[in-house]
């Protein structure tokens, strides 16, 4: 028997619940019958299943109980819902706090990583191979190059030690010649690796990101300056015969001239590209843009390849001009020099300002 | 020393309009001067090779194939001659083919370029 007063009480109880959850004033206003009213309650999900009280239970209990009992049930249900909602809010707050602190930690890690990269630490990991390229995507060809280069450096350091020991031990010229040939071949391998990498991503190669910061400091079109080679080794290969003096002088001059020519070519390429990008005519439709992009890419690849070719030729000619013993000393000096540059990079990285 | 570079260089317009073999034309032009470079005005590697010779004090004769009515045919002929693309730059010294940029640089580094230039009369001690 639902007396009007009972209905009123129930409606008030239902309204209390709605008020707490602050939803669906409409549903309440529309309903006259407490049954449909309670079904509206059912649809309100506090997000806490433990505190959820099913409509069936409510109706069942209501049909069973007398009018004085339902009030208690309703009160109990309301209290349970309040408790559930409170617990839910606490859990949510804890979760959000956890998210916030994780976000801060992630930002910190990213900063550290960026700092380390800029300072030239060779970062590689099994999963991502350390290369994100200019497009932000991992390029397998470049990852392979980075791994190969890491291995190349290890072998290089070993060869430098071998040369040092050999020179101190005063081995025969023939044995020394073999070491010199091995050293030269090792450099030629590097140039071949670079040529393959240039086909994959020439801008990555020329940026020198795959090298340490001190090496990058001296970079010229993707590697060391050919003219620098002689400056580095000159004190280690003396004394020179008159003929050798002449040839070394010529090598110094010709490598410098070739270097300058390539530099001027690159400058012209930059100038042309700037003009094309700035011009509305050249940078017209997509087709025009693609033409500019392709032309410059091909031209730049050509220069990077010529620069490596020049490095190789300079190295080979230097060895040709020298005796076996002098050549060994030259290769030792060069390897030691590059090793020291890499060590310098580590110093810079471990002692930031 | 003033060096002829620029897009015009010493462009020699021929009045002969015989449909001659482009390779023959190349060889003829190459033999007319000590140092002959076939180039394209927009090509930056060509610019680099011109600067190389100028830096050595050589005055090369430059033919810009994109400004020659028969340039396209000559480019194709050069590509066939060199066996690869690009066709330019190509250098002839004393009428004989030296090659593209890599050959020129290699010969300069190994010391064979300068004697060749002296022999052709493009360089004086």
């Amino acid at each position: 028997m639902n007396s009007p007063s009972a209905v009123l009480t129930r409606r008030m109880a239902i309204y209390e619940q709605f008020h707490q959850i602050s939803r669906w004033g409409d549903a309440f206003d529309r309903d006259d019958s407490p049954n449909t009213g309670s079904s509206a309650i059912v649809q309100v999900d506090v997000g806490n299943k433990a505190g959820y009280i099913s409509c069936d239970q409510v109706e069942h209990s209501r049909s069973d109980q007398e009018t004085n009992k339902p009030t208690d049930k309703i009160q109990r249900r309301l209290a349970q819902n309040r408790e559930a909602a409170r617990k839910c809010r606490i859990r949510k707050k804890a979760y959000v706090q956890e998210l916030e602190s994780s976000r801060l930690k992630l930002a910190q890690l990213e900063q550290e990583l960026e700092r380390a990269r800029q300072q030239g630490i060779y970062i590689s990991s099994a999963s991502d191979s350390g290369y994100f390229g200019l497009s932000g995507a991992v390029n397998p060809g470049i990852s392979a190059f980075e791994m190969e280069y890491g291995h190349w450096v290890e072998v290089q350091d070993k060869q430098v030690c071998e040369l040092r020991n050999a020179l101190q031990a005063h081995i025969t010229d023939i044995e020394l010649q073999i070491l010199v040939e091995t050293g030269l071949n090792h450099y030629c391998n590097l140039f071949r690796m670079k040529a393959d990498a240039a086909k994959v991503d020439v801008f990555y190669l020329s940026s020198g990101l795959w090298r340490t910061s001190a090496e990058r400091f001296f970079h010229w079109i993707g590697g060391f300056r050919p003219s620098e080679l002689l400056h580095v080794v000159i004190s280690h290969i003396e004394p020179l015969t008159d003929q050798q003096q002449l040839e070394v002088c010529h090598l110094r001059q010709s490598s410098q001239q070739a270097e300058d020519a390539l530099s001027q070519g690159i400058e012209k390429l930059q100038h042309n590209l700037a003009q094309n990008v700035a011009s509305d005519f050249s940078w017209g439709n997509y087709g025009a843009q693609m033409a500019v992009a392709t032309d410059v890419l091909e031209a730049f690849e050509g220069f990077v390849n010529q620069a490596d070719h020049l490095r190789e030729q300079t190295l080979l000619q230097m060895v040709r001009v020298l005796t076996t013993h002098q050549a060994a000393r030259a290769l030792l000096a060069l390897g030691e020099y590059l090793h020291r540059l890499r060590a310098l990079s580590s110093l810079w990285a471990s002692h930031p300002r | 020393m003033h060096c002829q570079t620029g897009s015009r260089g010493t462009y020699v317009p021929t009045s002969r309009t015989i449909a001659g073999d482009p390779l023959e034309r190349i060889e003829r032009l190459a033999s007319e001067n000590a140092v002959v470079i076939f180039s394209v005005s927009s090509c930056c590697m060509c610019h680099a090779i011109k600067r190389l010779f100028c830096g050595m004090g050589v005055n090369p004769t430059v033919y810009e194939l994109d400004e020659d009515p028969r340039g396209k045919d000559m480019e194709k002929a050069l590509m066939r001659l060199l066996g690869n693309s690009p066709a330019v730059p190509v250098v002839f010294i004393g009428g004989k083919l030296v090659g593209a940029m890599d050959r020129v640089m290699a010969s300069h580094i190994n010391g064979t370029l300068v004697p060749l230039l002296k022999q052709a009369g493009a360089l004086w001690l």
Side-chain angles (χ1 to χ4, degrees), chain A residues 289-305:
Chain A
Q289 293 169 20
M290 271 305 284
V292 169
T294 317
D295 287 348
V296 168
L297 185 66
E298 279 176 12
F300 191 50
E301 275 176 23
F303 278 103
V304 171
N305 287 334

Side-chain angles (χ1 to χ4, degrees), chain A residues 32-325:
Chain A
D32 284 331
S33 120
N35 288 337
T36 30
S38 62
S39 65
I41 297 172
V42 165
Q43 287 167 55
V44 175
D45 189 9
V46 189
N48 181 356
K49 297 207 166 47
Y52 174 74
I53 297 181
S54 79
C55 163
D56 297 325
Q57 284 178 339
V58 169
E59 279 194 54
H60 208 65
S61 59
R62 202 172 277 134
S63 53
D64 285 336
Q65 306 293 348
E66 293 303 324
T67 42
N68 52 350
K69 290 283 190 177
T71 325
D72 288 339
K73 284 276 184 180
I74 289 165
Q75 290 299 337
R76 212 179 309 142
R77 190 171 68 251
L78 287 172
Q80 278 169 342
N81 278 2
R82 270 196 299 271
E83 188 55 39
R86 196 179 66 86
K87 285 197 185 133
C88 176
R89 278 194 297 274
I90 290 170
R91 272 205 296 277
K92 183 181 177 185
K93 195 175 175 188
Y95 178 59
V96 167
Q97 272 180 349
E98 214 183 281
L99 276 181
E100 283 292 311
S101 61
S102 293
R103 197 173 63 83
L104 279 171
K105 194 162 181 210
L106 180 65
Q108 268 175 5
L109 281 174
E110 279 182 325
Q111 251 187 13
E112 270 183 52
L113 191 63
E114 188 52 45
R115 219 178 298 135
R117 276 226 176 89
Q118 278 173 3
Q119 287 166 349
I121 294 175
Y122 172 54
I123 296 168
S124 72
S125 75
S127 56
D128 68 2
S129 306
Y131 171 69
F132 293 98
L134 297 169
S135 59
V138 178
N139 189 322
I142 295 298
S143 312
F145 171 73
E146 283 194 341
M147 280 197 290
E148 265 196 277
Y149 177 69
H151 179 70
W152 186 92
V153 169
E154 283 173 18
V155 172
Q156 168 79 338
D157 287 341
K158 269 191 223 125
Q159 286 184 356
V160 164
C161 286
E162 271 178 34
L163 267 173
R164 195 179 295 120
N165 295 337
L167 285 167
Q168 281 171 353
H170 306 286
I171 65 172
T172 65
D173 259 18
I174 297 176
E175 288 169 318
L176 207 55
Q177 180 65 24
I178 293 171
L179 286 178
V180 167
E181 294 284 340
T182 311
L184 280 178
N185 280 336
H186 197 54
Y187 280 108
C188 292
N189 285 341
L190 176 63
F191 296 130
R192 217 172 312 148
M193 276 164 53
K194 288 176 73 182
D196 291 338
K199 292 189 198 114
V200 176
D201 188 342
V202 68
F203 294 105
Y204 168 80
L205 189 73
S206 76
S207 73
L209 282 170
W210 47 281
R211 301 185 86 192
T212 62
S213 49
E215 291 170 302
R216 263 205 302 283
F217 188 69
F218 293 101
H219 250 221
W220 173 80
I221 315 184
F224 64 86
R225 284 181 175 273
S227 57
E228 271 302 305
L229 178 64
L230 281 169
H231 291 149
V232 166
V233 308
I234 192 72
S235 59
H236 297 89
I237 59 176
E238 285 163 341
L240 296 168
T241 66
D242 288 344
Q243 177 64 19
Q244 283 180 326
Q245 295 269 22
L246 217 62
E247 287 177 312
V248 162
C249 181
H250 180 264
L251 181 59
R252 193 181 273 149
Q253 196 181 36
S254 58
S255 60
Q256 186 67 62
Q257 285 169 342
E259 213 178 281
D260 290 344
L262 288 179
S263 293
Q264 289 180 69
I266 291 273
E267 274 170 32
K268 178 126 206 292
L269 185 62
Q270 287 174 335
H271 174 78
N272 287 355
L273 179 60
Q275 278 200 321
N276 278 324
V277 171
S279 139
D280 289 337
F281 175 73
S282 304
W283 198 253
N285 53 23
Y286 179 73
Q289 293 169 20
M290 271 305 284
V292 169
T294 317
D295 287 348
V296 168
L297 185 66
E298 279 176 12
F300 191 50
E301 275 176 23
F303 278 103
V304 171
N305 287 334
Q306 290 298 334
D308 272 343
H309 178 70
L310 182 60
R311 285 178 192 109
E312 194 172 23
Q313 292 301 313
T314 308
L315 200 55
L316 291 174
Q317 175 67 7
M318 183 192 74
V319 168
R320 232 177 269 137
V321 162
L322 302 174
T323 65
T324 307
H325 205 266

